[in-house]
Amino acid sequence: MLEDMAIRGLREETQRDYIRFVRSFAAFLGRSPDAATAEDIRRFQVHQAESGVQPPTINCSVSALRFFFTVALDRSDLSRRLVLVRHPRKLPNVLSVEEVGRLLEAAPGPKYKAALGTAYGAGLRVSEVAALKVGDIDSTRMLIRVEQGKGRKDRNAMLSPQLLELLRLWWREGKRRNVMLPHGWLFPGRNCLEPMSTR
């Protein structure tokens, strides 16, 4: 299964999750999961539902087990037995302008203020913010280049004048502290050769 995931270029986090879900299924069965039956799959999904496992987690386990049965074992007959759980999609709570302002003001320094501002202002995920390099900021075209974001896709995000000013403040402070390298990370970690942690 690990080889099959590597061949298909699944991310490390995805591989870890898939292995964790297959292990969970094996623990439920009490035997090797390659000996599972259609009834075992049904019992496992009933067990998940009765145990209070949330729909997104159940659906992740379905993806992992479908990969396991279809790709690793070539048993698509079993993968078809797995059922996705429908769940209501709710709109996320969106912070007001005042709340965002208070959040940015509470940041412990210019680096974190700029990082939070980038996440909010450009709509980037935390992993995308941490992976930004200095050269990804294009102030001429007012764009932020996001390389290998979700789904390993490159994309551009809009750069507002306010965010550019915030990034420039951080740039000056980072240069003053000697943590900003010419082609390095926009938000370096404790070691300036490494990116800031997503935590």
Side-chain angles (χ1 to χ4, degrees):
M1 184 173 174
L2 286 170
E3 290 170 352
D4 289 330
M5 290 189 292
I7 289 168
R8 284 158 182 78
L10 270 64
R11 297 179 75 130
E12 240 179 80
E13 298 84 13
T14 303
Q15 290 186 34
R16 263 197 313 270
D17 288 344
Y18 277 21
I19 293 297
R20 184 169 46 89
F21 285 121
V22 172
R23 277 193 180 130
S24 169
F25 179 60
F28 170 80
L29 289 179
R31 64 182 192 279
S32 177
D34 63 349
T37 65
E39 179 58 22
D40 291 330
I41 290 170
R42 191 190 70 73
R43 285 187 314 106
F44 179 65
Q45 289 206 280
V46 168
H47 165 74
Q48 284 182 309
E50 289 176 348
S51 299
V53 177
Q54 294 299 305
T57 305
I58 291 173
N59 291 342
C60 286
S61 75
V62 166
S63 295
L65 292 171
R66 280 185 177 164
F67 184 92
F68 176 69
F69 289 122
T70 304
V71 179
L73 296 182
D74 195 22
R75 294 279 318 269
S76 54
D77 59 306
L78 289 178
S79 75
R80 285 193 296 270
R81 299 294 190 146
L82 291 157
V83 179
L84 288 170
V85 179
R86 294 192 184 277
H87 58 96
R89 298 234 182 228
K90 297 181 180 177
L91 288 174
N93 292 330
V94 179
L95 299 177
S96 70
V97 174
E98 294 79 24
E99 289 170 324
V100 172
R102 286 199 311 269
L103 177 68
L104 291 177
E105 289 306 315
K111 176 170 90 170
Y112 295 102
K113 193 176 286 196
L116 288 169
T118 302
Y120 178 79
L124 303 187
R125 294 170 176 83
V126 67
S127 58
E128 294 171 338
V129 171
L132 286 174
K133 298 216 170 157
V134 172
D136 293 333
I137 305 302
D138 184 346
S139 59
T140 306
R141 297 188 308 153
M142 296 302 282
L143 293 173
I144 300 173
R145 179 170 172 73
V146 179
E147 292 187 354
Q148 302 294 291
K150 183 166 176 145
R152 293 196 175 177
K153 294 179 183 158
D154 293 349
R155 65 186 171 92
N156 288 321
M158 299 301 293
L159 174 62
S160 71
Q162 296 89 345
L163 179 55
L164 179 59
E165 186 53 39
L166 197 58
L167 289 170
R168 283 183 170 152
L169 287 171
W170 160 237
W171 168 259
R172 287 191 287 274
E173 177 66 18
K175 289 297 272 183
R176 188 185 67 73
R177 286 196 229 158
N178 291 321
V179 297
M180 194 71 76
L181 302 176
H183 299 290
W185 302 105
L186 182 60
F187 303 110
R190 289 191 177 142
N191 172 354
C192 63
L193 299 176
E194 297 292 324
M196 175 171 59
S197 164
T198 56
R199 281 180 290 147

